[in-house]
Amino acid sequence: MPFRSHTCAFVLMAGLAMSAPAFADDPKVTAQAAADRWDQSFNTGDMDALTALYGTDAEVVTKGAPLSGGPNIQAYFAGLKSKGFADHKVTVQSAKAKGDLLLASGRWEASGPGEGGARKVFSGNWVNVLERQGDGWRTVLHTWN
């Protein structure tokens, strides 16, 4: 009987070990973790940390012209922060891995200045394309509406 118990325990542990990497590599979990890091960096005003989340060839598609390059991206988001935008939160609704790319979409929300000095909640759709670079995932395309 002990042999059978040990065999069952081994099979159970092996099954758990095999499923752990699949969970850790879940595209939606990975995308939400990246979005959470972005939210934290923006909300605390750490624009250096925020800029580090982008790849060197990243492009941010804004309402105006697309931006590229760390200094331009940093200046854009620092400008939004200085205008009073805060409490940014992304909720990832969909994520798909495509080789070294991660395609993520969902909803964003933030508070900002409204009419007469009142706070207003802004929200819309959000899309990020992340690329596995070096020690982690970096955003290479970021847009929202």
Side-chain angles (χ1 to χ4, degrees):
M1 252 350 210
F3 176 75
R4 180 176 263 172
S5 297
H6 290 302
T7 303
C8 288
F10 176 76
V11 169
L12 177 62
M13 290 176 63
L16 290 173
M18 289 172 55
S19 65
F23 177 75
D25 290 337
D26 180 290
K28 190 172 178 183
V29 170
T30 301
Q32 187 63 61
D36 291 346
R37 285 189 297 277
W38 195 99
D39 289 337
Q40 180 181 10
S41 297
F42 180 81
N43 290 331
T44 62
D46 188 345
M47 295 302 144
D48 289 334
L50 185 137
T51 305
L53 299 174
Y54 289 88
T56 56
D57 59 347
E59 192 167 298
V60 175
V61 181
T62 68
K63 185 177 177 181
L67 306 167
S68 59
N72 293 327
I73 293 169
Q74 185 174 40
Y76 178 80
F77 288 114
L80 288 179
K81 187 73 176 162
S82 71
K83 290 177 183 173
F85 287 92
D87 307 316
H88 194 279
K89 176 68 181 146
V90 168
T91 302
V92 175
Q93 295 173 329
S94 173
K96 296 176 185 142
K98 302 276 187 179
D100 282 341
L101 294 178
L102 180 60
L103 314 173
S105 64
R107 301 282 299 165
W108 69 272
E109 178 177 295
S111 64
E115 290 185 37
R119 299 293 294 165
K120 180 179 176 182
V121 175
F122 298 85
S123 64
N125 296 310
W126 166 91
V127 175
N128 259 18
V129 176
L130 298 103
E131 182 177 40
R132 192 184 313 262
Q133 294 182 0
D135 61 347
W137 292 93
R138 301 287 184 263
T139 298
V140 293
L141 179 63
H142 178 177
T143 192
W144 63 95
N145 67 6

